[in-house]
Amino acid sequence: MPLRLAVLVFHGVEILDFAGPLEVLAPLGCLLVGEAREVTCQGGLRVLADHVVAEQPPIDVLVVPGGPGTRRPESETQPLVDYIRGQAATAQIVASVCTGAFLLGRAGLLDGRRATTHWRWRNALAERHPSVQLTGGRVVDAGGVVTAAGVSAGVDLGLHLVGRLQGAAAAAEAARRIEWPAPQPGMAEAGPGA
């Protein structure tokens, strides 16, 4: 059975945070799971999701992007956190891009792990989740949890995931397809659990 991959989208999601990994993972059959059927991204782009979080579609690899939507009041983002926590119980990999790490942190997925986020938000993440071992890496792989730094690092995250799922040759071909630098050995930092 093929793996079920999805990117989570929500109101205020940063466009490149979700579109970068989606572009890389789309040939693997990646879906969009939304906070609602239609979400409005940062900048006004409206996107239609294949599923909504309330449907609880089973996912093997979940990518959680960032953006201003992660900084809405906790009461508004709690359904996203609950969905992420629920998927983490059965998914092989839960990953984040940029401030999506804040949602993973609230779900308890970063406790005691090495992780990264956008440089501007590292201190805030450390204050809210002091057990996270923050690094300046572009991609940090801690086994079942993988984090990427800001915005364009989501493309590197997507390529790293292709490499983990299908091997280095597939990741190099995916990079070639999108005209992005090929992943290099050691591009992703390993963290506890990797």
Side-chain angles (χ1 to χ4, degrees):
M1 172 184 249
L3 290 176
R4 296 161 299 206
L5 292 86
V7 175
L8 183 64
V9 289
F10 44 84
H11 298 298
V13 67
E14 184 69 43
I15 295 168
L16 189 54
D17 278 15
F18 86 84
L22 181 63
E23 178 66 32
V24 175
L25 299 172
L28 304 180
C30 191
L31 303 170
L32 287 177
V33 175
E35 172 179 20
R37 186 67 65 193
E38 179 179 286
V39 299
T40 302
C41 305
Q42 169 70 5
L45 176 70
R46 290 184 296 179
V47 175
L48 296 177
D50 299 297
H51 297 279
V52 294
V53 295
E55 295 170 348
Q56 294 290 316
I59 303 298
D60 298 307
V61 178
L62 177 65
V63 176
V64 179
T70 64
R71 298 184 292 279
R72 292 180 295 162
E74 287 190 9
S75 60
E76 292 182 24
T77 57
Q78 192 59 48
L80 299 174
V81 172
D82 292 342
Y83 174 74
I84 293 164
R85 186 181 295 119
Q87 290 300 318
T90 57
Q92 291 181 24
I93 301 168
V94 176
S96 68
V97 179
C98 197
T99 57
F102 283 81
L103 298 177
L104 268 58
R106 282 187 45 214
L109 302 183
L110 299 182
D111 294 345
R113 294 183 192 268
R114 285 176 56 90
T116 192
T117 190
H118 190 285
W119 61 268
R120 181 179 288 167
W121 295 100
R122 281 189 206 124
N123 288 341
L125 186 62
E127 288 172 13
R128 289 186 194 148
H129 305 285
S131 71
V132 177
Q133 302 165 25
L134 282 168
T135 173
R138 198 153 165 87
V139 177
V140 176
D141 188 325
V145 177
V146 181
T147 55
V151 196
S152 65
V155 176
D156 293 323
L157 171 72
L159 293 170
H160 177 72
L161 293 175
V162 169
R164 272 192 57 179
L165 300 171
Q166 296 189 322
E173 181 54 34
R176 184 172 183 265
R177 176 179 59 81
I178 64 170
E179 296 198 29
W180 193 262
Q184 300 300 311
M187 178 186 83
E189 292 181 26

